[in-house]
Amino acid sequence: MPTDVNAMDRDGKLRPGSSVLRKLRLPAASASGLKSSHFRRPWVAAGLIAPQLLILLFFFFIPSWKALSLSFVQVDPFGGRQIFVGLENFTSLLSSPEYRASAWFTLWFTVVQNVALISISLLLAFATDYIVRCRTVYKSIILLPYAIAPVISGVLWAFLFNPAVGPIAQWIHAAGLPWDPNRRPMDAQILLIVASVWKYICYNYIFLVASLLAVPRSLLEAATLDGAGPVRRFFTISMPLIAPTLLFLVVMNFVHGLFETFGIIDAVTRGGPGGSTNSLVYKVYQDGFVMLDLGSSAAQSVILMGIAILFTILQFRGIGRKVNYQV
Amino acid sequence: MVENNPRLRLFCHVVLILGAAMVCVPLYFAFVAGSLTLQEVQQTPFPMLPKGNFIENATTAWNQGDFGRLFLNSVIVTLGIVIGKLSISLIAAYAVTYFRFPFRMTAFWLIFISLMLPVEVRIIPTYEAVADAAGPLRQLVEVTGLGTLIEWITGGYRIETALQWNMVNTYPGLILPLIASATATFLFRQFFLTIPDELCEAAQLDGAGPLKFFWDVVLPLSRANIAALSIILFLYGWNQYLWPLLFTTDKEMQTAVLGLKALVPHADTEPAWNVAMSAAFFVMLPPAVVIIVMQRWFTRGLVDAGK
């Protein structure tokens, strides 16, 4: 509850910039978000907002509610009978070695992917920021994978590393190293990470280039006069200033890694070999649509929803916080 | 730049060239593979230069996968997503920023919550919801006793049986669930809040109603945001995979990306990677052209959307 009276205006609305808002870390506008000059025609407003709310009701709220209620029952796939089992779906899920393996793989995959994405795209963004000539050409090329569907990225890399015909696999074999993502779990996981990093570097790169461009030139020039070299300037001035962007990207990379790699996995490994690349989202699909174990799949969906909500909160709290020096 | 450091500049160019090469190598090899015959694509070592069969492979792929039909589906679904999502979120954002009405904040939070759950985490319940879109209505009819009432009045007409709406293998079924998220609404709301209040005051003094103000002032002002968002949504719609995969059992209703996936050789089929790779090129072509031609709009829009 707001404690200081000054934070409220006459109508009891929160005043923009008040300490309460800063504590909530929401943009000032969302406390009320109403233009001071507005219309008072409730029926027109209802008509305008109805399509969005109806679509959300049918394709968002009802499905989410169903997932939640299905996660507490066991359904037999043919008869459609439902028996309430309480938390049993969750406990059996958390104690099943397959689910744990899947969770570990997902964690491992997202962390490695995140580290690779951030470091590679930071390097590329730094280089783009430093040079002048050919900047647009480099940018256009590096942005290209943004247009390519994750599943197509998966198909491309699956071909390159295909142990029978893929050119890169042939080079690896020529170097005398073993390579077979269809049999060796580690190879399959590496292949997935490569395909996914290739697909998502551009996303990180766009944001980092834009935020580096926003670093005030005056600060950099002052530091140069004080004798700081380009690398030192990058780490002591630019990095703290772009920290909010970095944080945002770390969260987004986790989100991409968790939820949007379905296409890549389906194209490259289909969860194999032996379930070693069965990520959490892929497992929901496998258990729900292939094995028809609806209760367990719903429980998995609920766990994923929890994770997604956590990331959204992190994103909103983290981005609002200014992880930089006041300029 | 502030100072001149040729060695660092050279290093930066090398880094960027490596980065660009990393992007291009898979595309180049895919192109080479797409230009080979079935025998050539299986030989070791893999040829470094393209041969002349690209058009032939692409034609084979196009006919084999019935891509004429699939492209039409992709175009319809993508345009549906772009136009549907843009129009729904424009008017919803306009309603929550420019109108005072009861439960305004409730409506806003209901929309806002949907930002939290991507469609991937609720695939199965969404599938059920769409396969039986009238289900909730039917339950409503049953619970309220309306069904019994109608049955009694009309003498045996059961409204429950009429309330069936299965959207599997339909365009609405492919489009609507992907529209059900508030990202665009939130973005437009943020933008509307930056429009000067004087504009609305002036419009009201001149006697313009809310719809006229929206059409003549707000919409033209939002043109840049609409353009940027259309590009992002176009890429999003064209590149959808999981949802069309679940939702199309009929080959006639599949999208181009699914058609490409179907051409990819499995362990026990003929390794026709040349055909698959040439198909990959024409499936990637529309989004790639969009991103190259409209790069400026798109990067700005993406960075705004992320904030």
Side-chain angles (χ1 to χ4, degrees):
Chain A
M1 283 305 288
T3 44
D4 60 338
V5 188
N6 291 332
M8 316 267 250
D9 65 16
R10 268 171 303 154
D11 300 325
K13 291 263 154 51
L14 288 169
R15 192 178 284 171
S18 71
S19 60
V20 182
L21 287 182
R22 261 179 273 129
K23 249 175 241 157
L24 286 170
R25 298 204 182 83
L26 288 168
S30 54
S32 137
L34 178 66
K35 305 287 281 189
S36 62
S37 161
H38 53 256
F39 301 97
R40 284 164 197 275
R41 303 261 283 275
W43 290 109
V44 180
L48 291 174
I49 208 167
Q52 170 102 67
L53 286 181
L54 274 178
I55 284 209
L56 285 183
L57 175 70
F58 275 92
F59 302 109
F60 181 81
F61 287 108
I62 292 177
S64 305
W65 168 251
K66 266 198 187 153
L68 205 59
S69 56
L70 263 182
S71 68
F72 296 106
V73 298
Q74 227 144 54
V75 192
D76 100 72
F78 304 107
R81 276 187 341 120
Q82 301 190 349
I83 307 148
F84 182 80
V85 291
L87 289 173
E88 202 183 294
N89 283 327
F90 290 95
T91 49
S92 67
L93 200 58
L94 293 177
S95 60
S96 100
E98 286 91 29
Y99 192 74
R100 285 195 191 169
S102 165
W104 274 115
F105 164 68
T106 311
L107 182 71
W108 185 82
F109 171 81
T110 43
V111 169
V112 173
Q113 176 194 243
N114 218 325
V115 172
L117 280 172
I118 293 281
S119 40
I120 296 174
S121 44
L122 254 183
L123 186 62
L124 289 172
F126 169 77
T128 312
D129 196 51
Y130 191 74
I131 58 147
V132 180
R133 197 177 297 173
C134 302
R135 197 187 262 177
T136 340
V137 180
Y138 292 132
K139 263 202 219 163
S140 315
I141 297 176
I142 297 175
L143 285 187
L144 209 53
Y146 191 86
I148 297 170
V151 60
I152 300 185
S153 160
V155 170
L156 291 179
W157 287 98
F159 165 70
L160 288 178
F161 281 101
N162 182 300
V165 298
I168 298 187
Q170 288 177 2
W171 299 341
I172 297 176
H173 289 156
L177 298 168
W179 175 267
D180 189 355
N182 299 327
R183 297 224 175 71
R184 295 157 49 93
M186 197 62 183
D187 293 0
Q189 294 172 355
I190 292 171
L191 182 50
L192 274 185
I193 290 174
V194 170
S196 163
V197 166
W198 185 79
K199 161 72 191 141
Y200 288 111
I201 275 184
C202 53
Y203 186 84
N204 290 256
Y205 175 77
I206 295 168
F207 279 90
L208 289 174
V209 168
S211 64
L212 280 179
L213 210 63
V215 172
R217 296 286 116 170
S218 55
L219 285 181
L220 296 173
E221 278 160 19
T224 318
L225 287 180
D226 288 344
V231 177
R232 174 114 190 255
R233 283 202 303 271
F234 180 73
F235 282 106
T236 55
I237 296 179
S238 304
M239 277 285 264
L241 285 171
I242 63 170
T245 309
L246 280 176
L247 200 65
F248 164 79
L249 288 174
V250 168
V251 174
M252 286 314 285
N253 288 337
F254 271 116
V255 172
H256 286 151
L258 270 169
F259 303 123
E260 287 176 24
T261 39
F262 177 88
I264 296 182
I265 295 179
D266 200 44
V268 178
T269 63
R270 292 172 169 265
S276 61
T277 55
N278 211 348
S279 81
L280 291 176
V281 167
Y282 202 75
K283 201 166 155 51
V284 172
Y285 162 79
Q286 282 267 320
D287 290 359
F289 278 89
V290 184
M291 323 280 257
L292 294 177
D293 185 354
L294 292 180
S296 165
S297 171
Q300 294 179 36
S301 291
V302 170
I303 293 177
L304 283 178
M305 285 182 195
I307 300 175
I309 290 173
L310 186 77
F311 276 120
T312 316
I313 294 171
L314 266 181
Q315 190 180 327
F316 274 90
R317 290 182 68 102
I319 307 313
R321 187 182 293 154
K322 291 275 167 275
V323 198
N324 59 22
Y325 304 129
Q326 282 295 304
V327 182
Chain B
M1 205 49 223
V2 229
E3 94 269 72
N4 193 13
N5 185 339
R7 266 195 307 182
L8 183 65
R9 207 167 56 219
L10 183 70
F11 171 76
C12 287
H13 277 286
V14 171
V15 164
L16 286 170
I17 289 170
L18 282 178
M22 204 170 62
V23 169
C24 292
V25 161
L27 296 175
Y28 176 74
F29 276 114
F31 179 72
V32 173
S35 68
L36 301 175
T37 60
L38 185 56
Q39 282 75 42
E40 285 166 340
V41 84
Q42 294 174 74
Q43 77 195 18
T44 337
F46 192 82
M48 296 302 279
L49 292 172
K51 304 246 169 69
N53 282 316
F54 192 84
I55 306 289
E56 199 187 312
N57 287 332
T59 323
T60 316
W62 184 274
N63 295 330
Q64 194 183 326
D66 191 16
F67 274 98
R69 172 78 199 186
L70 301 191
F71 261 67
L72 178 72
N73 291 341
S74 273
V75 169
I76 293 175
V77 170
T78 308
L79 287 184
I81 290 173
V82 173
I83 296 171
K85 190 155 175 170
L86 279 178
S87 37
I88 286 175
S89 24
L90 267 168
I91 56 177
Y94 183 61
V96 292
T97 46
Y98 272 102
F99 285 88
R100 182 184 286 267
F101 58 95
F103 303 111
R104 197 180 66 88
M105 284 317 278
T106 317
F108 173 70
W109 281 108
L110 281 178
I111 294 173
F112 186 75
I113 285 174
S114 74
L115 283 177
M116 293 188 174
L117 300 179
V119 77
E120 284 81 3
V121 308
R122 51 193 161 88
I123 37 175
I124 287 164
T126 308
Y127 181 86
E128 284 183 5
V130 182
D132 183 17
L137 281 180
R138 219 166 40 234
Q139 274 179 357
L140 189 75
V141 165
E142 265 166 44
V143 170
T144 54
L146 207 65
T148 337
L149 188 71
I150 293 175
E151 197 178 340
W152 181 68
I153 293 173
T154 56
Y157 175 73
R158 290 185 58 84
I159 190 160
E160 286 98 326
T161 47
L163 283 176
Q164 300 283 349
W165 189 20
N166 183 347
M167 291 203 271
V168 175
N169 287 323
T170 63
Y171 291 124
L174 285 171
I175 295 169
L176 292 177
L178 296 174
I179 296 181
S181 131
T183 40
T185 314
F186 197 64
L187 196 71
F188 282 125
R189 172 183 171 275
Q190 300 295 75
F191 171 68
F192 290 165
L193 289 175
T194 66
I195 295 179
D197 277 329
E198 289 79 3
L199 285 177
C200 186
E201 284 160 20
Q204 281 178 330
L205 280 181
D206 289 343
L211 296 181
K212 188 158 176 57
F213 176 68
F214 176 70
W215 191 256
D216 285 344
V217 180
V218 174
L219 218 49
L221 282 176
S222 322
R223 212 179 287 149
N225 290 50
I226 294 175
L229 213 55
S230 323
I231 299 168
I232 294 171
L233 288 174
F234 177 86
L235 300 177
Y236 172 79
W238 188 272
N239 290 339
Q240 277 302 318
Y241 176 66
L242 173 56
W243 190 247
L245 174 74
L246 297 180
F247 225 69
T248 49
T249 47
D250 185 356
K251 184 105 182 40
E252 288 282 285
M253 286 304 293
Q254 290 192 340
T255 58
V257 171
L258 282 178
L260 166 66
K261 181 65 177 43
L263 284 181
V264 172
H266 296 304
D268 42 351
T269 53
E270 192 180 46
W273 283 97
N274 52 339
V275 177
M277 286 297 140
S278 66
F281 267 86
F282 59 71
V283 176
M284 284 189 279
L285 196 62
V289 168
V290 165
I291 212 175
I292 288 167
V293 174
M294 309 209 214
Q295 198 199 110
R296 181 179 298 265
W297 290 101
F298 144 78
T299 45
R300 219 191 80 192
L302 190 69
V303 172
D304 285 349
K307 293 225 164 114

